[in-house]
Structure formats: C-alpha cells, structure tokens
Amino acid sequence: MPEGKRPPRVPLVERVLEANDEVAAANRADLERRGIFSVDLIGAPGSGKTALLEATLRALRGRRHPAVLVGDLATRRDGDRLARWCDKVVQISTGQGCHLEANQVRDALAEIELDMVDLLFIENVGNLICPWASTWARQPRSACSASPEGDDKAAKHPYLVEAANLILLNKIDLLPYLSFDRRTFEADVHLLNPRVPILDVSANDGEGLDAWIAWLER
C-alpha cells in the first residue's frame, strides 16, 4: 500500500439479526396493542404439531377467535388441514429457510383481519436447531416433543429447552409401546430449565388437552 494512503474501510455488521429483531418487536407490540395472545409452537417433523393444533382448534370452537400461521418448506398441506377448523389460516412457504423470520410473520399477519382475533398460533417449520434463535420479542414458545423421538431429545437440543415457556410431551398414548424413560426426559428438561412445566398430551385421544388449553387461557 502506498505510504500515507489509508486502508480501505471494511463495513462491520455488528448484529446480523438486528433488522429481524426490530420487526419482531414491532410484531409483538402490534399484537399486544390488539390484545392478542400469541404462542410459537416449535417441534421436529413428525412431532405432531399440526395434529395437536387441529385438536386444540376443535376444542376452542365457540370459546376463542384464533388465527394460525403455518411455516413449511413446501406445500400447503398443513394449512389446508388447519383451515377445516379455523377460518383464519395463512400458510408461509420458506423454501430453503429453516425457520420463520419476523418479516414473514409480519407479511402473513397483514393477510388476517386481526380485529377479529384474540389468540394466534405460529406453527414454526419442523426443525429444532434454528427456530430457538429466531427473535420473536419475548414470544411465548412451546416446545413439542413426541415420545417416539426418544427420551434424550431435550439433552440433544438444550437451547430450545432453555428458551421454552412450556414443554409438550406429545403422543403419550404410545408410551406403553416404547422404551421411553420418563425420569430421564424430565431430569434433562429441568436441568436446563428448572421451572418450565411439562404437559403430557395426545392429539390422538385428547388426553392432556384440557391442561394445554388451560395454560393458553392463563
């Protein structure tokens, strides 16, 4: 470099997620202003998130005015399933994106008449690695873990457990047929998040659904 010439400036991106954080905060503020309780449902593919939401929407009919945002890499199949029980469903296709981002949520919310909503479910993309880090401005998060996934799921995905406000152990109707150690699962969860409640649920036979809905109501 010639003497006396300054080196070129290299821009420093201090927070890659800063823009996402700002949009997430705006989303949250808008929902709070409207009195809408929202919850982010996160779980692996096949954990039963959509089936659980179907059962929940059926149980809430006539009691609440829900809306659902559904994230998937492709297809609108989950959205079509949920639309049978809720008239405010928006399917979000993320392509190769591993989780929903705040701007996608904001665009989807624009498709809903929010004045007619008091409860919002956000079914995130089936993935346990990325969504926990996506900022939703203090959005309550329910981590859905299914018994066939194994009793070591919490230990293998600690960051999601640490960020969760509720752990849903789904498909408990299958426990008699599995080598699932309930004590190991609970011990791992509470080592990471000592106060998080664990609710047993079964979308298949409805067991635990009342406790899940009571949590939502609170």
Side-chain angles (χ1 to χ4, degrees):
M1 180 178 299
E3 186 176 351
K5 188 174 182 179
R6 292 183 178 181
R9 290 190 61 186
V10 178
L12 174 64
V13 180
E14 294 183 352
R15 296 191 64 193
V16 176
L17 296 178
E18 185 174 356
N20 186 78
D21 293 349
E22 292 175 356
V23 177
N27 290 345
R28 185 66 179 169
D30 190 31
L31 294 174
E32 289 180 346
R33 179 176 60 81
R34 295 172 181 273
I36 300 172
F37 177 74
S38 59
V39 61
D40 197 10
L41 186 60
I42 302 174
S47 61
K49 299 184 299 298
T50 305
L52 179 61
L53 282 180
E54 285 182 296
T56 304
L57 292 170
R58 286 197 299 268
L60 288 173
R61 271 195 163 180
R63 297 168 55 180
R64 290 290 176 184
H65 304 285
V68 186
L69 308 184
V70 190
D72 278 307
L73 302 183
T75 83
R76 50 179 292 174
R77 294 181 181 179
D78 285 356
D80 289 342
R81 286 173 57 183
L82 295 169
R84 294 181 298 172
W85 311 106
C86 179
D87 60 0
K88 296 179 180 62
V89 177
V90 179
Q91 179 81 52
I92 304 172
S93 177
T94 63
Q96 294 182 345
C98 64
H99 62 271
L100 291 176
E101 301 213 6
N103 64 321
Q104 294 172 317
V105 171
R106 190 158 191 79
D107 290 345
L109 290 175
E111 302 294 322
I112 298 173
E113 190 177 353
L114 293 175
D115 290 340
M116 304 298 293
V117 174
D118 58 11
L119 177 59
L120 174 67
F121 294 103
I122 301 175
E123 182 185 337
N124 220 308
V125 178
N127 177 9
L128 293 178
I129 300 173
C130 300
W132 74 270
S134 184
T135 302
W136 299 102
R138 305 187 317 280
Q139 175 120 334
R141 294 172 177 166
S142 295
C144 184
S145 182
S147 57
E149 295 175 339
D151 51 40
D152 59 354
K153 183 63 67 176
K156 289 183 175 180
H157 296 275
Y159 305 111
L160 177 59
V161 175
E162 289 174 350
N165 300 91
L166 177 71
I167 303 293
L168 293 165
L169 179 59
N170 198 14
K171 303 186 181 183
I172 59 169
D173 51 305
L174 298 179
L175 284 175
Y177 313 102
L178 303 170
S179 57
F180 184 95
D181 189 330
R182 178 58 184 264
R183 288 179 296 180
T184 296
F185 179 78
E186 289 187 352
D188 287 341
V189 167
H190 288 140
L191 180 64
L192 296 162
N193 192 341
R195 297 184 180 180
V196 69
I198 302 173
L199 293 184
D200 289 359
V201 290
S202 170
N204 185 45
D205 61 19
E207 185 174 353
L209 199 60
D210 288 344
W212 159 235
I213 291 176
W215 183 85
L216 293 170
E217 295 280 8
R218 286 196 299 270

